[in-house]
Amino acid sequence: MREAFREELTALTERLVEMTRFVGTAMDKATQALLQADLPLAESVISADDAVNRLQHEFDQRAIGLIARQQPVATDLRTLVTGLRMAADLERMGDLAVHLAKVARLKYPSRVVPEELRDTIGAMSRVAQDLAAKAGQVIQERDVELAIQMERDDDEMDRLHRTLFQLMLAKDWSHGIETAVDVTLCGRYYERFADHAVSVARRVVYLVTGEYDATAAGAV
Amino acid sequence: MREAFREELTALTERLVEMTRFVGTAMDKATQALLQADLPLAESVISADDAVNRLQHEFDQRAIGLIARQQPVATDLRTLVTGLRMAADLERMGDLAVHLAKVARLKYPSRVVPEELRDTIGAMSRVAQDLAAKAGQVIQERDVELAIQMERDDDEMDRLHRTLFQLMLAKDWSHGIETAVDVTLCGRYYERFADHAVSVARRVVYLVTGEYDATAAGAV
């Protein structure tokens, strides 16, 4: 019985790691769709979102089923409840990639991101993908050091986000209100994606150390 | 034992209702702070956020403790897990009110919202507060009809959100990029606040009927 429980926990962990890979790929494709006004790519991100929703739903069913059947207490129960929260974070990261793809689709055939912002948006996407990949590693290896490093990556995301605003608020901004509105929303989606990845990492740290930084968590 | 369990479930439900009242008030005050450039009011919303974080934390501890001690299955377990999710939605609604208050604080003594958008922002805030109050009623009375009505209120929020964009994109917009960026972010915070309130209601519907609209849920 205990061995079956361990095996199921391992399978559930693997499922979360799979979700991190899925949303990292979605983020990559959504950004390409945005930067290149690539409609088929945008559509593919939007239609793939069902898969991550399904992964979350299955995760939830299995985790709740495991709680009901095995009635775990203490650390095991906390692991499963935390897993439910991480699955919700990851599902939300998928939604945020979809939001980016939908902006690309809505504005097609126009390009949403003006030339002088492309580098910043590209960098935000790379940080976001990197955070998704690291979140997967933190889940798999319970790597607290890497989780702490992710906080610094998130600071880099915040810095890039501020750069985006500075570029839009510069006197020589010539792309009008509509582009500023679109870029503001996209910037927010990247930032929130990163926040959720960091939130996943913090939850792992909490599981491992029993310490959860509620102040930091309040910010995500 | 069972009676103690029921009593604790009732107390936890009351706690969620308390959170809906709390975030509704925060939304009201944050909007006033935003519309009137009222710095002390903005500060009060920001510092009150700790209280809702604490409410969520206590809810979580009690709910997880109850699962560990009483080892509920089926509906009771589902109720507790759903409660954890609703508490997270409500905590996030508090964060979004704080985001609005922080915009007011950052731009003080300037007013963030230009004259011609004040009515729309005011209406978004009223819909948001109304949704928080209704979410409380849905939780307390398990009122599925009211939950369905909330979906229509959320459509009204989406309509107001579109109005906001139309006003910003009108040819006679004279308030520049910075105001457009601020208003875009604030609009997003109102919309997300409403989404989370609707998500709370959907979770209650799921508990009562066993049916969860995953397509709709994917959108929140």
Side-chain angles (χ1 to χ4, degrees):
Chain A
M1 194 71 159
R2 294 304 296 168
E3 187 150 346
F5 181 74
R6 290 290 139 213
E7 273 171 21
E8 183 68 0
L9 267 191
T10 304
L12 283 170
T13 301
E14 189 43 57
R15 183 56 59 101
L16 290 173
V17 174
E18 191 183 335
M19 287 178 81
T20 63
R21 282 192 291 259
F22 192 97
V23 301
T25 303
M27 173 49 81
D28 184 18
K29 288 184 179 171
T31 303
Q32 284 184 50
L34 201 64
L35 293 178
Q36 291 151 25
D38 184 333
L39 186 60
L41 199 56
E43 294 284 7
S44 80
V45 173
I46 294 162
S47 55
D49 189 49
D50 261 359
V52 78
N53 295 343
R54 213 162 36 236
L55 284 174
Q56 187 204 2
H57 186 71
E58 285 170 23
F59 182 95
D60 288 359
Q61 298 300 101
R62 284 171 70 172
I64 295 169
L66 202 55
I67 296 172
R69 285 194 315 279
Q70 302 267 357
Q71 312 203 322
V73 294
T75 307
D76 288 339
L77 176 57
R78 216 169 52 160
T79 302
L80 285 166
V81 170
T82 303
L84 291 170
R85 287 172 170 158
M86 293 195 278
D89 279 316
L90 291 162
E91 189 273 335
R92 184 73 198 139
M93 289 163 77
D95 286 345
L96 290 159
V98 165
H99 286 349
L100 291 170
K102 283 186 174 170
V103 175
R105 182 171 71 177
L106 189 67
K107 301 298 157 136
Y108 178 84
S110 299
R111 290 196 184 183
V112 176
V113 182
E115 194 59 35
E116 70 259 41
L117 301 186
R118 291 174 66 85
D119 285 353
T120 308
I121 291 286
M124 289 174 94
S125 176
R126 280 191 300 279
V127 173
Q129 291 170 55
D130 187 49
L131 281 168
K134 283 179 180 164
Q137 213 178 321
V138 167
I139 292 168
Q140 192 135 47
E141 297 163 19
R142 301 203 158 203
D143 186 337
V144 172
E145 283 305 309
L146 187 59
I148 292 163
Q149 192 187 313
M150 286 173 65
E151 304 273 352
R152 285 197 298 274
D153 296 341
D154 192 39
D155 292 343
E156 171 64 8
M157 177 63 93
D158 292 341
R159 196 191 62 73
L160 289 165
H161 199 198
R162 282 193 299 274
T163 302
L164 210 58
F165 288 127
Q166 282 158 9
L167 290 168
M168 285 191 287
L169 299 180
K171 281 205 183 351
D172 59 352
W173 177 259
S174 61
H175 306 285
I177 300 291
E178 184 169 354
T179 298
V181 167
D182 289 338
V183 169
T184 299
L185 288 174
C186 290
R188 177 85 187 145
Y189 302 148
Y190 285 106
E191 189 208 18
R192 290 295 300 155
F193 186 100
D195 284 344
H196 282 286
V198 170
S199 162
V200 165
R202 284 194 188 130
R203 295 186 199 286
V204 174
V205 172
Y206 176 60
L207 276 183
V208 175
T209 67
E211 281 169 32
Y212 190 70
D213 184 348
T215 321
V220 300
Chain B
M1 195 69 158
R2 293 305 295 168
E3 187 149 347
F5 182 74
R6 289 290 139 212
E7 273 171 20
E8 183 69 1
L9 266 191
T10 304
L12 283 170
T13 300
E14 189 44 57
R15 185 55 61 101
L16 291 173
V17 175
E18 190 183 337
M19 287 178 80
T20 64
R21 281 193 291 259
F22 192 98
V23 300
T25 302
M27 172 49 81
D28 184 19
K29 288 184 178 170
T31 302
Q32 284 184 51
L34 201 64
L35 292 178
Q36 292 152 25
D38 185 333
L39 185 61
L41 198 57
E43 295 285 6
S44 81
V45 173
I46 294 162
S47 56
D49 189 48
D50 261 359
V52 77
N53 295 343
R54 213 161 36 236
L55 283 174
Q56 187 205 1
H57 185 71
E58 285 170 23
F59 182 95
D60 289 359
Q61 298 300 102
R62 284 171 70 173
I64 294 169
L66 202 56
I67 296 171
R69 286 194 315 278
Q70 302 268 357
Q71 312 203 323
V73 294
T75 307
D76 288 339
L77 176 58
R78 216 170 52 161
T79 301
L80 285 165
V81 170
T82 303
L84 291 170
R85 287 172 171 158
M86 292 195 278
D89 279 316
L90 290 162
E91 189 273 335
R92 184 73 199 139
M93 288 163 76
D95 286 345
L96 290 160
V98 166
H99 285 349
L100 290 170
K102 283 186 174 169
V103 175
R105 182 171 71 177
L106 190 68
K107 300 298 157 135
Y108 178 84
S110 299
R111 290 196 184 184
V112 176
V113 182
E115 194 59 34
E116 69 260 41
L117 301 188
R118 291 175 66 85
D119 286 352
T120 308
I121 292 288
M124 289 175 93
S125 176
R126 279 190 300 278
V127 173
Q129 291 171 54
D130 187 49
L131 281 168
K134 283 179 180 164
Q137 213 179 320
V138 167
I139 292 168
Q140 191 134 47
E141 297 161 19
R142 300 205 159 201
D143 187 336
V144 172
E145 282 306 309
L146 186 60
I148 292 163
Q149 192 187 312
M150 286 173 65
E151 303 274 352
R152 286 196 299 274
D153 297 340
D154 192 39
D155 291 342
E156 172 63 7
M157 177 63 93
D158 292 341
R159 196 190 62 74
L160 289 164
H161 199 198
R162 282 193 299 274
T163 302
L164 210 58
F165 288 127
Q166 281 158 10
L167 290 168
M168 285 192 287
L169 300 180
K171 281 205 184 354
D172 59 351
W173 176 260
S174 61
H175 306 285
I177 299 290
E178 184 169 354
T179 299
V181 167
D182 289 339
V183 169
T184 299
L185 288 174
C186 290
R188 177 86 187 144
Y189 302 149
Y190 285 105
E191 189 208 18
R192 290 296 299 155
F193 186 100
D195 285 344
H196 282 287
V198 170
S199 162
V200 165
R202 283 193 189 132
R203 296 186 198 286
V204 174
V205 172
Y206 176 61
L207 276 183
V208 175
T209 67
E211 281 169 32
Y212 190 71
D213 184 347
T215 321
V220 301

